Amino acid sequence: MQPEPARGRPGHNISMWGAPGSGKTTLLAALFIALARRNDDWKIIGSDPASSDYLIEKTNALSRGKVFPEASMTLERYHWTLIGPAPRRSGFWGRKAKPGPPTRIGISMIDAPGGLFGTGRRPAGAPSGVAAAADGAGDPRRQELLDNLEQSRGIVFLFDPIREFTLGDAFDHMHAPLTRLAERMLAAGEFLDGKLPHHIAVCVTKFDDPRVLETAEKRRLLTTDIDDPHGVPRVTSEDAKELFRELCQVSASGNADMVLNALDQFFHADRIRFFATSSIGFYIDRRTKMFDWDDFQNMLPGEADEDSRIRGQLHPINVVEPMLWLGQRLAAIRPATEVS
Amino acid sequence: MPEPDGDLNRKAVAQALASLGDTGHLSLVEVAADGVTAFRIHRDANGCPRGRSWSATWTDLAGERGWDADPDGIREAVLRAARVSPPTAEVILAAASPGGPRAEQALDWLRAAHPGAQVLRAGAPIAALVREVMVDDPLTRSYELVVMLADPGTDRLRLTSRRLFPIGARPGARTRVAVRCEPGGAYGTAFAVVTWQGPEPRLLSVQSAPIPPGRYEVTAELVRPGRVRFTGLPELSPDPRDWDRLVAALPDRLPGGTGPAHLVCAVEVCGTDDLVAERLSRARQVINRSAGELGGPLRVSLVAYAAHSYDGSAREFPVRAMTWQADAGEALDALGELEEQGAIARGYPYHPHAAQLEDMLALVVRRLDWDDPTPVVLLTVGGRSPHPPRTDLSGVLPCPHRHDWRRPLAALEQRPGTVLGAICDQAGDRAHPAWHRLGAAALAHLEAVDVHGLAADLGLVAPSPGHLPFPLLDETE
C-alpha cells in the first residue's frame, strides 16, 4: 500500500521495476544526486523514516564511498516523495499570482532479491519449504509487488543491456508480473481498451558502458546538448527506442525483442517512453571538465572480493527525466491533491 | 647418317644427355661384331646422370639352335636386349665398326622398331664415351654448401646455404669459401652439399671430420656431377647421417658465452605480497645465473612497475629504474630493496587487473642507447595486462599517460640484437597477448621456471650440448 506522508499525500505513484541487478537501487541513489545538481526546486524526500534512512545510506555510499549500493538480499519496501516547484496560478485582473501546492510524485520501490520477479524458481531468501507456483503467483511477496504495480499509474522499467548480453533474462522478469498485472486490471475493469492504464518509462541503463556507447555511436544516435558544459554525449528519448532495439539484437537468450513486443501489446504507444540512462555517468576529468572520448569510463573494477567502484564524480544521465516525464503525464490525467 | 667420328658421337650423346629431364630415360644401344650392349641413363634426385648397362653376345641371343633357325625369335631377343623402356625414352643406336652381317641385321631390326632413333657409327666401343660424357655433364642444379649464420646481435643461429657451383658448371670448377668451425660433436663438422628443388633441400653428399675450432679457407672442387672435394681442411670422411639427423643436432644459438650483454629486468611489484616476492625471487635467480656464466661482462638494469592509480588525490607508484646498466651486484642490492618494500598498494584505488606495463616499455625504449651494439635482453616478470591508450571494450581503463604498449614493444622487437623474454604468472591462454610478445624468445610460467633453460634461450648462458654440426659462414671478409 502506498503510505501517506505526514503532511501531504502524493497524487501520483511510480513503481520501479526491473530484473535483479538492473540498477534500481543505484538509480534511486543517483536520483538524489542528480536532483542536487539541478538548479530547480525538485527534491526527493523519504515518506517514512526507513525510506529516508535508506536514501541517505545509499546516496552516501554512492557519492562518498564510491561503491555501488549492495544488491538487495531481502525484500525491502521503500517509499519516497518527489516534490517539485508549485505550479503558478494566474492572478485575476493582474493581481499577483498565488503559488499553488507543490507537485508531489510518490515513488515506490520494492527492492526484491534476485529471482522474485523471475520465472518459477524459488526466490532467494524464501523458506525452502515454500514451493513457488509456475510464475510465483502464490508467493505473498509477489502479491505485494503486484499490489504496488496495480496501485501506481507510472512505472520505471529498468533494462540492463549488459545483463541482457550475459544472462538474457529481461523478458523472464517482465512477462509473469505483466500478465498478472493485466489479469488484475481486467478484473478491476481497467483493461477496457485492451491496454494497461499505466505510463511506462523504459530506462536503458549503463549508457556509460563502452559497449552501449559504441552501439549508440555506430547507429549515429548520439547528440550533445549545447547547454551541457561537459559536452557529454546523449541519446534523445526519440532515439532511445532504436538503441533499445539495437541492444536487443545481442541478447544472450534472444528473447529481448519480446520485451519490446510485450511493451507494445500491454501499453498505449503514447504512454511509453524510452530513456538512455546512466546512474554514474561518464568520467569527467576535474581539470578539463570536459567529456573525453579517449577516457570516459567512470567505473573501476574491484579486486576479486570487492565490488566495482566509481572512479570520479557522479554525473547521472537521464535519471531525473523519466520521473519528471511520468509525473507530468500523470498530473495531466489526474491533478495532484494537497492535504493541508 | 653422321660420319663415324668420335667427336661427333660425343657431341650427339652429350646433347641427348643434356636434354634429358628429371623423369625421362636415354637408351643407347651399341651393336658390335660380338653382340649387343644396352645403356640406360636417367637423372637422380639431384640431377646427376646415372647409368646402367647390359651386354648380350649373338650366341646368348640365338641360343643352341643357331642364328638362322628362328629369325623372328632372334629379332625379339635382340629388341629385348636393347632394353628400351619406357617407350618415350630417347634412343640412340650405335653401330660399331667392324660389325658383320649379324650386327647389320640386328641394327636393321632396331631401326625398324625405333624409327626416330639417331644412328651413330663408332670406330671403338662406345662405353668409354658414355662414361666420359656422364662425367663431363654440366650441372643441371646449383650445388650449395650447408652453413650456419649467427645473428650478430643475439648469436641466434639459422641454417642457410652458400652456393658453390652454379647450373652449367663442369668438373674442375673450383670455389673458395671462408668458414668458421666450432666443436661439432661425435661426427665432427659436416660439410653437406645440397641442391634445391622447390622449398626443400636435397642432400647430395655429406662428409665430415673432427676439425679444430677456427677459421678455414676451404676450396671446393667439382670432381664430377654428384661429387665435391673439399681441400684446406683435415681429410673428410663420408658421414652416414641423413638430413633429419643432421638438423636435429642444431642448437638455437652459438654455444658458450658470447660476450657482453645488457639484461633489463622489469618486475611488476603490485598484487599480493606472496606473488610479488615470487616474482622478485625469479628475477634474482636469473640475474645470479647470468652473472655467473656469461662469457663477457653483464650489465643489469632493474625496473619496477606497479598499478596505475585512478584517484587524483592518491599519487601512484611511478615506473622506476632502480638501476641502469649497473653491475650485477648493484642490481641485486636494488632487488633487495624491492623485496624489503614488498607489494606496492599505494595509489588506491588502483586498477586491479592491469599494470603500468606500457609505461615500463616506454621507459625502457627511452633509456636504451640505440647506438650501442651490445645485445639487450628484456626480461619482464609479472602477469597483469597493459592499459590501452584509450577507452576500449576491454573494460580496462586507459593509461593516464596515453602510452600505447604496442609502440614501444614494436620498437624493441625491431631493435637489432634485442631479445624478449618473460616470466608470467598467468597461464598462456589467459595471459594478455602482450605477454606472448614480451616472451617471444622465452615465455615461462612463474611457478615452473627452468632458470638455466630460460637464461640459455635468452642467450645469457651457454646452451647444452654446445656443438655445431655445420660450419659457420665467415662473413668478415
Side-chain angles (χ1 to χ4, degrees), chain B residues 67-114:
Chain B
W67 182 262
D68 300 321
D70 180 13
D72 289 342
I74 294 174
R75 175 180 165 277
E76 289 301 319
V78 168
L79 295 181
R80 274 200 304 275
R83 294 180 180 258
V84 178
S85 66
T88 54
E90 183 169 354
V91 181
I92 295 177
L93 303 176
S97 178
R102 292 181 176 176
E104 288 300 325
Q105 177 66 71
L107 185 63
D108 287 344
W109 284 334
L110 288 164
R111 289 175 69 176
H114 306 289

Side-chain angles (χ1 to χ4, degrees), chain A:
Chain A
M1 295 289 288
Q2 180 70 12
E4 292 187 8
R7 288 187 52 80
R9 178 177 181 167
H12 321 295
N13 298 321
I14 297 171
S15 294
M16 300 198 56
W17 186 16
S22 58
K24 296 186 292 295
T25 310
T26 310
L27 188 90
L28 250 299
L31 179 61
F32 185 91
I33 292 165
L35 289 172
R37 289 234 157 92
R38 289 169 67 99
N39 291 322
D40 51 28
D41 206 20
W42 285 98
K43 58 189 83 66
I44 185 168
I45 297 171
S47 302
D48 54 63
S51 298
S52 289
D53 290 347
Y54 184 86
L55 185 65
I56 293 166
E57 178 195 337
K58 299 301 180 187
T59 304
N60 283 347
L62 197 61
S63 64
R64 291 183 191 171
K66 294 183 177 178
V67 291
F68 283 91
E70 287 185 6
S72 311
M73 298 307 292
T74 57
L75 183 73
E76 295 169 322
R77 311 163 187 84
Y78 299 104
H79 306 282
W80 301 274
T81 302
L82 192 62
I83 301 177
R88 301 197 72 82
R89 295 173 179 172
S90 57
F92 183 70
W93 290 117
R95 288 182 182 174
K96 191 177 180 182
K98 289 182 180 177
T103 304
R104 297 170 189 270
I105 304 169
I107 301 176
S108 302
M109 186 184 77
I110 296 190
D111 210 6
L116 200 51
F117 262 141
T119 52
R121 289 170 298 187
R122 185 176 62 81
S128 57
V130 174
D135 63 352
D139 191 318
R141 297 181 302 175
R142 295 195 182 211
Q143 298 300 323
E144 192 169 356
L145 291 173
L146 287 170
D147 290 345
N148 188 261
L149 284 172
E150 185 183 356
Q151 287 158 20
S152 66
R153 285 296 178 270
I155 296 171
V156 175
F157 176 70
L158 274 69
F159 174 81
D160 178 351
I162 304 304
R163 180 186 174 93
E164 190 60 24
F165 177 70
T166 51
L167 296 178
D169 61 352
F171 182 73
D172 293 345
H173 288 279
M174 180 190 207
H175 177 250
L178 194 57
T179 306
R180 292 290 177 190
L181 178 62
E183 175 192 322
R184 286 184 174 209
M185 301 310 283
L186 184 64
E190 294 197 70
F191 204 70
L192 296 178
D193 52 1
K195 304 279 186 183
L196 292 169
H198 299 70
H199 285 71
I200 183 165
V202 181
C203 295
V204 180
T205 62
K206 298 199 171 76
F207 179 54
D208 58 285
D209 188 285
R211 290 164 285 188
V212 180
L213 187 68
E214 185 187 58
T215 303
E217 188 195 15
K218 281 183 177 172
R219 298 296 301 172
R220 299 178 182 278
L221 301 176
L222 296 179
T223 183
T224 307
D225 186 346
I226 56 172
D227 295 327
D228 181 356
H230 304 308
V232 169
R234 291 170 182 272
V235 175
T236 64
S237 287
E238 289 73 26
D239 289 334
K241 185 175 183 180
E242 188 176 343
L243 175 64
F244 180 88
R245 185 183 291 116
E246 192 66 24
L247 292 167
C248 285
Q249 306 290 326
V250 291
S251 162
S253 64
N255 289 338
D257 59 325
M258 292 203 289
V259 174
L260 199 57
N261 293 340
L263 290 170
D264 288 338
Q265 287 168 359
F266 284 91
F267 297 93
H268 290 279
D270 62 344
R271 295 182 185 179
I272 308 171
R273 192 154 195 179
F274 291 82
F275 296 88
T277 70
S278 168
S279 294
I280 63 171
F282 296 109
Y283 173 73
I284 303 292
D285 189 287
R286 284 188 171 190
R287 288 166 299 173
T288 64
K289 294 184 169 49
M290 289 299 292
F291 174 84
D292 181 357
W293 274 102
D294 286 346
D295 186 12
F296 60 79
Q297 273 180 270
N298 208 10
M299 197 177 78
L300 184 64
E303 294 275 11
D305 55 346
E306 290 178 347
D307 291 326
S308 296
R309 304 178 71 84
I310 297 160
R311 178 182 169 196
Q313 282 190 320
L314 288 166
H315 294 277
I317 298 170
N318 276 339
V319 167
V320 178
E321 287 80 353
M323 306 294 177
L324 296 187
W325 174 75
L326 284 171
Q328 288 160 3
R329 294 303 298 266
L330 296 181
I333 296 170
R334 186 162 61 94
T337 56
E338 185 181 11
V339 179
S340 58

